[in-house]
Amino acid sequence: MLTATQETKSDLLKDLGLPENSAFAALDKLTDTESRYLRDLRVNLKTALAGETLSLKEAYLLAVASAANEENHHLSQAFEAKAIENGAEQGEIAEAIACASLLATNNILYRFRHFAHKDVYEQLPARVKMNIMANPVLGKEFFELVSLAISAINGCERCVAAHETSVLKLGATEARIFDAIRVAAVVVGLSKIIK
């Protein structure tokens, strides 16, 4: 007979579409020590993905981008499958991953400019191609929302402020923004346990 924590582990893996016999050191440690956090983690994931202002497709695409940003292969595959299950096309998944890559690049450049506090760096061109932003498959508002979430993960204050302003101008609400940030935050937390 399974303990409550073992059942929670099993349910979490089922939620993600991962095999129940999957072995992840941190997840197994939480399970073996009957950690109450495991239940919180599962509830947090379910709550984040069921945000009131995001469709399940959008929530899973945000999760794909967040997992890609964290370089978590297991979660990337799991969330890709869930995104497809909820109507995402391969081009949308590819663009969510590309967005994570582009924003990782931009976040480093703009964070450096911010940290250095030197006019010379502000005046030098970034010389980073960003054609994907011009006509995104995901649509401009959602692409900006994903960009904002990845910028929040990567801790780029300037990028967060710019993308938040942009996504609001494109019609998003603060509630939608916060739902997207919650998905990103929970995926990052989950990536510390399932890796």
Side-chain angles (χ1 to χ4, degrees):
M1 181 170 203
L2 296 177
T3 67
T5 307
Q6 289 169 330
E7 284 183 23
T8 301
K9 173 191 173 184
S10 176
D11 290 341
L12 176 62
L13 292 172
K14 281 182 202 171
D15 293 345
L16 292 167
L18 295 171
E20 285 184 62
N21 62 349
S22 297
F24 301 104
L27 180 61
D28 293 340
K29 185 176 289 298
L30 292 175
T31 304
D32 293 345
T33 60
E34 295 290 318
S35 174
R36 292 179 291 166
Y37 177 67
L38 194 53
R39 185 176 187 285
D40 291 347
L41 184 61
R42 181 172 184 241
V43 169
N44 292 343
L45 180 62
K46 289 174 82 68
T47 301
L49 292 171
E52 295 177 15
T53 64
L54 299 170
S55 68
L56 279 174
K57 174 182 157 181
E58 290 173 327
Y60 281 115
L61 284 169
L62 279 159
V64 166
S66 301
N69 189 72
E70 294 300 294
E71 301 177 31
N72 189 309
H73 180 71
H74 299 290
L75 290 180
S76 291
Q77 283 189 318
F79 290 132
E80 282 181 35
K82 292 292 184 181
I84 290 168
E85 191 178 298
N86 284 281
E89 297 176 8
Q90 288 297 330
E92 292 171 315
I93 291 167
E95 192 166 87
I97 294 166
C99 182
S101 174
L102 174 61
L103 268 293
T105 302
N106 284 352
N107 294 156
I108 290 169
L109 286 170
Y110 288 98
R111 232 176 23 232
F112 172 77
R113 284 179 170 178
H114 177 76
F115 291 158
H117 299 288
K118 287 188 175 180
D119 289 340
V120 66
Y121 297 125
E122 295 293 340
Q123 295 166 6
L124 291 171
R127 292 192 179 132
V128 172
K129 288 288 209 184
M130 296 183 271
N131 291 329
I132 190 173
M133 290 179 143
N135 190 21
V137 173
L138 296 172
K140 193 72 173 154
E141 186 267 353
F142 190 64
F143 189 90
E144 284 293 320
L145 192 61
V146 175
S147 298
L148 174 57
I150 299 303
S151 295
I153 291 171
N154 294 334
C156 181
E157 180 181 355
R158 184 177 287 182
C159 296
V160 166
H163 289 293
E164 197 249 1
T165 296
S166 179
V167 80
L168 286 171
K169 284 181 183 174
L170 291 166
T173 62
E174 282 89 353
R176 181 167 166 80
I177 289 168
F178 202 70
D179 279 347
I181 300 303
R182 184 182 299 111
V183 170
V186 170
V187 169
V188 170
L190 183 62
S191 74
K192 310 303 182 196
I193 306 302
I194 295 180
K195 57 181 177 177

